[in-house]
Amino acid sequence: MADEKRLQEQILRISGVNPRKCMKCGKCSATCPSYDEMEYHPHEFVAMVEAGEIEPLLRSESVFKCLSCMACVERCPRGVEPGKLVEAFRLAVVRTKDSERLKPDDLPALADDELPQQAVVTAFRKYLK
Amino acid sequence: MKTVSYYPGCTLRNKAKNLDFYARACAEKLGFSLCEPETWQCCGGAFTASEDEIATKLSAVRALKAARDAGQPLVTVCSACHNVIKRTNEAMKNASFADKVNAYMAQDDDFKTEYHGETRVYHYLEYLRDVVGFDRVKEAVVHPLSDRKLAAYYGCLLLRPGKVMAFDDPENPVIIEDFLRALGAEPVVYAMRNECCGGHLCLEDAEATKKRSNAVSDSAKNHGASAIVTACPLCRYNLIKNGSELPVIYFTELLAEALGVKEARNG
Ligand code: SF4
Ligand code: SF4
């Protein structure tokens, strides 16, 4: 449990988010384009971080389904910025040794001739450390 | 002729050459010229919205500082570069963040003075609206795009986060529609114009990206558009790759067509 406390502090520090501002309206999840792909949704990230339930989020595929589209950040009536929280989890995961989501060697097989360089460099940002 | 600093970014040098070529040709026609700072490097494609990331923001700072030292605004075209550069510039206005970056950058030979977010960053469309003026663009049109119903596709990067990007009203933008009207076209307003195409998820979850992209292109088509207009190479790629029935065109290409400079490019 002490570990979860430390992880909670780490996530709050990386993200700069204050989950206690949330009024549980669910608008962030209602507007999230990746909603169907996620096991935990933006409002659940907020609520679970507040409750100190960090491990399940760190283990969830959901952190990699976020598009960083900032729709939840723009539309949250309380300025909670849930997308930043999801990003902090993704960083916490890929910063861990051997936890990269993609290896540079995986990329050639995924890219076709038309894929813009922008997608490749973004993937490096999002999935590798 | 007025010269501004110009940040093309990596994709405009490769897969999106048209976006770049027409941006330059049209600028000349409209009375300004785009000058690349020698020190620009790839912006990294995505801004990492975390307080403790520094190294991933350095490359954007170099271009921003070069523009400041040249006494020029910095103009970008690609939606992703624009997003990264504006957000990095905003971050540099925060003293504690800037102190860390400046300390790091002091190792560069040419990094003499500190940078604190002084450069004014414009997306090319903002530069047309705020400096050149859409009325002057309209006057320069020789081939009006009459009878063309076009769907402006903003996606997420141009608009959000709204407070930092300050590009337009993030929920009800008008800038690309106004631009299209200046070119003589009829803009089509549709529900999905400021929703995400799936972005980089195309490399991680192609099926999910397909759903996002189809929602956008179907929405544009159902509102009667004949083409989709974008500033983003990745939006264009995702929409086309996932079977958009409408062509997806860069805004600079349309501008070149209307200004009569498109003939200059062969192939
Ligand atoms: S939109 Fe904001 S206030 Fe509403 S549930 Fe999401 S984080 Fe909480
Ligand atoms: S930033 Fe991520 S969590 Fe927020 S709406 Fe977009 S995809 Fe969903």
Side-chain angles (χ1 to χ4, degrees):
Chain A
M1 222 41 218
D3 223 28
E4 288 244 86
K5 185 83 196 136
R6 194 186 54 75
L7 287 169
Q8 182 195 37
E9 278 163 17
Q10 183 193 16
I11 292 294
L12 293 176
R13 181 173 42 77
I14 298 179
S15 67
V17 165
N18 176 5
R20 293 167 69 189
K21 288 199 293 188
C22 173
M23 63 180 190
K24 318 234 182 289
C25 67
K27 196 169 181 184
C28 49
S29 293
T31 201
C32 175
S34 277
Y35 185 91
D36 291 345
E37 269 63 52
M38 287 175 158
E39 170 191 9
Y40 297 109
H41 303 99
H43 76 284
E44 290 165 300
F45 273 83
V46 177
M48 289 168 73
V49 170
E50 189 181 2
E53 296 165 39
I54 309 297
E55 287 281 359
L57 294 171
L58 280 174
R59 279 195 305 270
S60 173
E61 291 276 294
S62 302
V63 302
F64 292 109
K65 302 299 176 189
C66 170
L67 301 160
S68 306
C69 76
M70 301 288 135
C72 58
V73 171
E74 198 66 54
R75 293 165 191 163
C76 167
R78 299 279 298 150
V80 176
E81 307 187 308
K84 280 193 176 181
L85 211 48
V86 182
E87 177 122 301
F89 275 94
R90 184 185 52 70
L91 283 169
V93 174
V94 297
R95 282 173 183 175
T96 314
K97 194 169 179 295
D98 296 328
S99 300
E100 298 110 327
R101 181 68 171 185
L102 273 182
K103 305 260 184 287
D105 292 348
D106 299 339
L107 276 170
L110 293 167
D112 60 30
D113 283 350
E114 299 305 317
L115 185 76
Q117 284 70 23
Q118 169 194 2
V120 178
V121 292
T122 303
F124 272 82
R125 281 277 188 277
K126 297 285 176 192
Y127 303 133
L128 298 156
K129 189 56 222 163
Chain B
M1 187 175 292
K2 201 173 161 139
T3 302
V4 298
S5 291
Y6 172 55
Y7 186 96
C10 61
T11 307
L12 274 71
R13 277 301 170 73
N14 291 282
K15 300 293 177 199
K17 286 203 173 97
N18 277 349
L19 187 54
D20 173 64
F21 179 86
Y22 294 126
R24 291 172 195 269
C26 295
E28 301 284 333
K29 186 86 179 171
L30 292 168
F32 62 105
S33 80
L34 302 174
C35 172
E36 284 177 42
E38 275 172 31
T39 48
W40 79 261
Q41 299 165 316
C42 171
C43 71
F47 181 84
T48 305
S50 82
E51 316 277 310
D52 66 344
E53 282 269 324
I54 293 182
T56 51
K57 290 165 186 158
L58 296 180
S59 54
V61 174
R62 290 196 175 95
L64 285 161
K65 185 186 165 292
R68 196 257 333 251
D69 293 347
Q72 293 167 350
L74 184 61
V75 175
T76 64
V77 175
C78 165
S79 302
C81 297
H82 174 241
N83 188 279
V84 173
I85 289 174
K86 254 195 191 159
R87 293 170 78 181
T88 304
N89 204 38
E90 191 63 24
M92 289 300 286
K93 293 176 188 168
N94 172 309
S96 79
F97 178 76
D99 284 349
K100 288 180 208 146
V101 173
N102 281 316
Y104 207 100
M105 300 278 282
Q107 296 163 22
D108 286 17
D109 289 341
D110 60 348
F111 201 84
K112 303 250 165 13
T113 48
E114 292 194 351
Y115 184 76
H116 290 279
E118 296 91 347
T119 298
R120 174 73 203 261
V121 181
Y122 289 99
H123 187 269
Y124 193 96
L125 283 163
E126 288 178 304
Y127 195 80
L128 293 185
R129 178 189 62 190
D130 301 341
V131 181
V132 176
F134 283 154
D135 46 344
R136 266 189 54 211
V137 174
K138 188 175 176 178
E139 283 165 22
V141 168
V142 292
H143 300 312
L145 309 179
S146 321
D147 306 323
R148 300 260 288 273
K149 291 178 84 172
L150 302 175
Y153 181 40
Y154 292 88
C156 32
L157 294 168
L158 287 175
L159 298 168
R160 295 192 287 266
K163 275 206 197 76
V164 178
M165 299 310 289
F167 180 78
D168 203 346
D169 179 338
E171 296 303 336
N172 192 18
V174 294
I175 176 171
I176 306 183
E177 284 79 3
D178 288 346
F179 167 78
L180 294 173
R181 273 188 212 100
L183 305 187
E186 183 188 335
V188 173
V189 174
Y190 60 107
M192 300 299 285
R193 68 198 174 119
N194 59 345
E195 303 300 335
C196 183
C197 69
H200 62 274
L201 204 65
C202 61
L203 288 169
E204 216 272 337
D205 188 339
E207 262 315 297
T209 305
K210 185 174 172 56
K211 283 195 263 172
R212 303 278 66 76
S213 286
N214 290 350
V216 173
S217 53
D218 291 351
S219 170
K221 181 169 168 276
N222 293 339
H223 283 77
S226 61
I228 296 170
V229 181
T230 182
C232 182
L234 185 52
C235 290
R236 182 170 181 273
Y237 170 84
N238 278 334
L239 295 185
I240 293 175
K241 168 121 182 158
N242 290 303
S244 170
E245 288 176 42
L246 304 180
V248 186
I249 310 169
Y250 289 130
F251 77 97
T252 55
E253 198 170 342
L254 278 177
L255 180 61
E257 189 183 333
L259 296 182
V261 299
K262 199 161 174 189
E263 301 79 35
R265 180 132 175 106
N266 294 317

